Amino acid sequence: MEGKPRPAATPEQALQAMDRMIALAHFGQQDIAARLGLNTTDLTCIGFLIEAELAGESLAAGDLAERANLTTGAVTGVLNRLEKAGYARRAPDPDDRRKVRIAMDPSAQQRIMEAYGPFYLRLGALFADYGPEEVAVLADWFTRARTLMQESLDEIRAGL
């Protein structure tokens, strides 16, 4: 495999490192949300909106509720706060008058990147330290771990 020599690690050590990173990320999200005048649920929903926008998609309020695992009533509250803070706006769905589409405010991405930008630059430098094959392994691992996490959360939420 391409890349620099890496220190040996056991699966247990990797799991412990991942747990520490997730805990730090959790607290970091709270700090970033506060800096942006939001709560973490609102910030998470902004992430889903940005992801959809980058994919050329437009989310309906119900789509956002599903992705964020929120009720439609809770998403209404999220959208009220995001609109009030100038991050998103609602627009009628041109194909279905019963639906509402959510669009990012044009200035929102810039304000969000002011908070995330330095961290993303550091991550970019970190990824540059890995070869293409190693980055592919990391991307595969994150994708597969996310699927496993979703399955586990679904079981927890179903009371299994």
Side-chain angles (χ1 to χ4, degrees):
M1 185 170 287
E2 215 177 300
K4 295 180 178 181
R6 308 286 175 201
T10 65
E12 293 79 16
Q13 290 169 321
L15 185 60
Q16 186 179 38
M18 181 196 69
D19 283 344
R20 285 191 305 260
M21 185 189 75
I22 289 172
L24 184 60
H26 176 75
F27 291 120
Q29 287 293 90
Q30 292 173 354
D31 293 343
I32 290 170
R35 179 176 170 188
L36 294 170
L38 303 169
N39 64 46
T40 55
T41 299
D42 298 349
L43 183 61
T44 299
C45 288
I46 285 177
F48 289 127
L49 293 172
I50 290 171
E51 183 180 89
E53 192 170 285
L54 291 173
E57 301 172 356
S58 171
L59 291 184
D63 298 330
L64 182 59
E66 186 178 318
R67 289 185 188 194
N69 197 36
L70 297 171
T71 65
T72 53
V75 163
T76 297
V78 167
L79 294 177
N80 288 343
R81 291 187 298 274
L82 292 180
E83 280 187 317
K84 184 176 180 182
Y87 287 101
R89 55 186 158 67
R90 296 176 190 144
D93 186 314
D95 300 322
D96 186 345
R97 294 180 341 157
R98 297 169 295 173
K99 290 183 179 180
V100 174
R101 295 275 169 197
I102 301 106
M104 293 292 296
D105 185 271
S107 69
Q109 186 101 11
Q110 178 184 346
R111 290 187 285 157
I112 292 163
M113 286 312 295
E114 286 173 6
Y116 278 103
F119 176 56
Y120 282 5
L121 287 172
R122 289 179 181 106
L123 286 177
L126 180 60
F127 278 121
D129 193 50
Y130 291 87
E133 290 180 9
E134 291 174 306
V135 173
V137 169
L138 290 169
D140 176 65
W141 192 92
F142 283 123
T143 301
R144 293 170 61 195
R146 182 193 171 281
T147 299
L148 295 176
M149 182 179 280
Q150 185 63 59
E151 290 171 5
S152 295
L153 288 174
D154 290 345
E155 289 171 359
I156 290 167
R157 291 172 179 150
L160 300 177

